[in-house]
Amino acid sequence: MQQKNITEYDKEYEIKDHPSVKGVKIIEGQNNFPISWLNQQGYCEYQLYLENMKGIETQPTPAMTQGSKIHHELEEIFKQDSTPSKFEDAVEASKTEASMSREVTVIAPNYGIRGDIDEIWMKPDEIVIIDDKPGRTPYQSTMNQVRAYCLAYKDMTGEERKIKGALRERGTENLFWIEIFTPEVEKQIKFTIDRIQGLIDGTRPFVPTKNPKKCRSCRFKNNCEHAK
Ligand code: SF4
């Protein structure tokens, strides 16, 4: 498969910082949050509150530091072996010849989401959107993160090919979860995104987890009044 480094996009957006919520931007007049929030929301919504509304800062966990290191190394290797391309050109060319890209930024102002996809395989008959994770367990939170990438990609491109979301064990070739992005999956992820938009605009409360195991390994536990 050809390797294409996406360096340019046709579309440019008007982007501003949100006045009070860290991490949220206002893009095309709408609140827009990082897709990685879906992973955090699935773990515990209250983490989002502490980090982004209260501004609590914590040290990254060893797993986060190690994950960033591997990610960076893979990215550097990819850049050396790839050719630069505009996003829209890569999508179009892949209708006849398969290619793969890493660190592809997607922005969907209509849904208020944005993020960077770890890897995309664009093939003439399907698109595979891959997120690298530690371990081999597909959690609801990590599956939702990939589903949101699929939604953003589809919204940006109007893609008519089959789209699949996948989770891969970091640093390996092992795709341990893969799912077709069906209309039903799309409906479900839109519902979850809508919930997060409600957290941001204050129409829904941030619900803390009831699972003490999550609190025990939470990096916010020393600053959280709901820690169990
Ligand atoms: S300590 Fe528990 S309730 Fe508080 S943010 Fe962490 S996981 Fe959520």
Side-chain angles (χ1 to χ4, degrees):
M1 227 181 323
Q2 284 189 54
Q3 299 195 163
K4 294 192 177 176
N5 184 21
I6 305 298
T7 50
E8 255 186 277
Y9 295 79
D10 268 344
K11 182 106 176 102
E12 286 187 6
Y13 297 103
E14 191 200 349
I15 302 179
K16 294 184 199 154
D17 287 337
H18 189 280
S20 58
V21 186
K22 193 173 128 195
V24 172
K25 302 276 183 195
I26 300 173
I27 301 183
E28 304 292 286
Q30 283 215 42
N31 287 340
N32 189 298
F33 67 85
I35 287 173
S36 58
W37 277 28
L38 281 150
N39 190 1
Q40 223 174 339
Q41 186 252 354
Y43 189 86
C44 174
E45 279 181 358
Y46 209 68
Q47 279 194 349
L48 289 173
Y49 171 76
L50 292 174
E51 184 163 23
N52 301 291
M53 311 292 253
K54 269 191 103 177
I56 305 280
E57 293 187 0
T58 63
Q59 292 297 318
T61 63
M64 287 163 80
T65 307
Q66 177 64 4
S68 300
K69 184 168 170 280
I70 295 174
H71 191 86
H72 184 68
E73 287 168 0
L74 290 173
E75 179 67 8
E76 287 307 307
I77 293 168
F78 173 78
K79 277 186 188 160
Q80 286 165 16
D81 297 339
S82 61
T83 49
S85 173
K86 197 200 286 186
F87 173 72
E88 290 77 7
D89 292 346
V91 172
E92 189 57 35
S94 70
K95 291 176 183 168
T96 50
E97 190 175 1
S99 67
M100 64 86 84
S101 299
R102 287 187 56 84
E103 283 299 301
V104 176
T105 299
V106 282
I107 301 181
N110 291 338
Y111 300 108
I113 54 174
R114 68 185 194 280
D116 294 319
I117 297 172
D118 282 340
E119 191 165 306
I120 304 189
W121 301 342
M122 298 182 193
K123 303 181 187 179
D125 59 339
E126 66 178 17
I127 304 294
V128 185
I129 291 178
I130 299 167
D131 198 40
D132 289 321
K133 291 290 177 214
R136 300 176 189 171
T137 307
Y139 297 104
Q140 190 67 30
S141 53
T142 49
M143 292 187 287
N144 278 348
Q145 190 178 349
V146 178
R147 289 166 179 153
Y149 288 131
C150 293
L151 178 66
Y153 174 85
K154 186 177 173 187
D155 191 54
M156 275 177 90
T157 58
E159 187 59 70
E160 290 181 353
R161 283 170 280 184
K162 185 187 342 172
I163 300 175
K164 290 178 179 170
L167 292 168
R168 181 171 60 188
E169 186 180 357
R170 183 171 285 144
T172 77
E173 299 297 316
N174 177 25
L175 297 183
F176 61 87
W177 173 83
I178 188 156
E179 171 189 80
I180 298 173
F181 188 62
T182 61
E184 190 49 42
V185 173
E186 184 173 336
K187 191 170 149 200
Q188 178 255 311
I189 195 60
K190 284 179 183 169
F191 181 81
T192 306
I193 288 167
D194 191 47
R195 170 160 184 91
I196 296 188
Q197 293 293 355
L199 300 176
I200 295 168
D201 67 22
T203 54
R204 293 194 179 92
F206 290 85
V207 178
T209 183
K210 294 188 171 62
N211 183 345
K213 276 192 196 158
K214 287 187 176 179
C215 293
R216 279 200 287 276
S217 36
C218 174
R219 63 196 163 98
F220 296 95
K221 65 185 171 200
N222 295 331
N223 301 95
C224 178
E225 61 274 40
H226 297 291
K228 291 152 194 82

